[in-house]
Amino acid sequence: MIRRPPRSTPKPSSAASDVYKRQLLTDVRVNGFCVIEGVIPSARLTDVRESVLAAAKRGTKDYDPPTNVDFVPGFLNHDQSFAPYLAHETLIAVAERLLGPHLRISFTSAIVNLGGNDRGDWHSDWPFNQRNAGHVPAPYPDVVMHLTTLWMISPFTEENGGTLVVPGSHRSPTNPTGENEIDPKAPFPGEMRVSGEAGSVLLMDSRLWHATSPNKTTEPRAALAVRYAPWWLNVEVLRPESPERDYLLSASGKSDNQVPSLKHSVYDRLPENVKTLYRHWVVD
């Protein structure tokens, strides 16, 4: 049975807050995802959305995203409007229950789906994408190793292409990026589209099968992809300056994601509880 993520409400007591967090954890463990509402306050949403859209449009020219998609990795270097919310108490509490203490952020990307973008392939995110040079070989152990969060800077709706997911697929020992007979382009039995209000965060076990859905409107659907890792997960293959990256790409003959290092000038301006999530990305 699919557990629908509960709608968040103002938390009148610590007991109510604990119940809410336990429900979110249950949703992730059973279905592979949950939706945390109200992470970005409604009073700040318009300013954050305008800032993200403008910075993504400026930054995407340096990359080669799919048609009708603006994509910028290392997005914190380009825009910090959302930075105060990266250590949101509920989000961090759920992530720490799943990954343990001393969390790190491994990716911070802007993804803006413009009208007319194509449906994407079914996949699981790094480090479970078998097309990457650095990946966990299938079959996977049934362990949470990495979390993907998609920040709804715009609402996620049926019309504008809310993310497609296959509930429960995080328990699979493989995914459609591996050598199997799963068609990554085809609809999958039991798939569903995740919807949510702007300011919400879709949190997924990174093993969860998911895909980009077409935006059938004329308005851009803005999102941030922020991924959280435990302290012990080696993310050096993502760092452009890393010798480990050079070795793995050469040895495997495959490519991998690139996450630009964080500028000192940006890091120094971050809130203290956010700095702890990024200190490993600051390189002299």
Side-chain angles (χ1 to χ4, degrees):
M1 179 180 69
I2 297 174
R3 294 177 179 269
R4 303 297 180 184
R7 300 187 69 84
S8 64
T9 56
K11 306 182 185 87
S13 67
S14 60
S17 176
D18 289 344
V19 169
Y20 180 60
K21 291 169 188 172
R22 285 198 297 271
Q23 182 62 57
L24 294 172
L25 279 165
T26 298
D27 290 330
V28 176
R29 287 169 173 156
V30 174
N31 297 321
F33 69 98
C34 69
V35 175
I36 307 172
E37 295 187 349
V39 175
I40 299 177
S42 57
R44 291 284 300 132
L45 268 173
T46 298
D47 289 344
V48 170
R49 183 182 301 115
E50 290 177 355
S51 186
V52 167
L53 286 170
K57 182 62 66 178
R58 291 192 303 269
T60 201
K61 65 182 183 299
D62 297 326
Y63 301 94
D64 186 27
T67 302
N68 292 327
V69 176
D70 289 342
F71 171 76
V72 184
F75 191 63
L76 200 59
N77 283 321
H78 301 262
D79 180 59
Q80 299 85 49
S81 62
F82 56 93
Y85 315 110
L86 293 168
H88 184 274
E89 189 271 335
T90 300
L91 191 159
I92 294 299
V94 173
E96 286 186 337
R97 286 291 301 275
L98 294 165
L99 298 175
H102 315 301
L103 296 173
R104 301 187 294 173
I105 287 178
S106 52
F107 292 73
T108 313
S109 307
I111 305 174
V112 180
N113 289 333
L114 308 173
N117 68 303
D118 293 331
R119 174 173 170 142
D121 289 359
W122 288 116
H123 66 284
S124 297
D125 283 338
W126 187 95
F128 302 103
N129 190 317
Q130 301 296 299
R131 301 188 185 113
N132 293 147
H135 65 269
V136 178
Y140 311 131
D142 190 8
V143 177
V144 183
M145 300 186 193
H146 199 236
L147 296 173
T148 297
T149 63
L150 293 178
W151 294 57
M152 302 179 190
I153 306 303
S154 304
F156 278 29
T157 68
E158 182 84 17
E159 293 75 24
N160 72 8
T163 300
L164 293 164
V165 301
V166 180
S169 58
H170 64 302
R171 305 296 297 276
S172 171
T174 186
N175 68 67
T177 65
E179 295 181 1
N180 49 51
E181 297 180 357
I182 301 167
D183 184 350
K185 293 287 188 185
F188 196 85
E191 72 176 49
M192 63 172 289
R193 183 176 285 101
V194 178
S195 60
E197 298 295 328
S200 302
V201 171
L202 166 60
L203 184 150
M204 304 184 290
D205 185 319
S206 293
R207 294 174 293 172
L208 188 74
W209 301 10
H210 59 284
T212 301
S213 184
N215 181 355
K216 299 176 183 178
T217 75
T218 58
E219 295 296 319
R221 180 173 67 77
L224 300 171
V226 182
R227 301 177 190 171
Y228 293 78
W231 64 265
W232 47 264
L233 186 65
N234 187 353
V235 298
E236 281 300 296
V237 68
L238 306 174
R239 190 193 304 280
E241 306 91 348
S242 170
E244 282 191 63
R245 177 184 176 85
D246 291 341
Y247 168 75
L248 284 172
L249 267 61
S250 176
S252 68
K254 297 182 178 182
S255 62
D256 214 310
N257 300 278
Q258 285 196 59
V259 180
S261 296
L262 190 64
K263 298 175 183 177
H264 275 279
S265 58
V266 173
Y267 179 80
D268 291 342
R269 296 196 302 270
L270 295 176
E272 290 302 318
N273 61 349
V274 175
K275 283 183 178 179
T276 63
L277 300 170
Y278 281 101
R279 61 182 181 272
H280 60 296
W281 278 133
V282 182
V283 176
D284 292 328

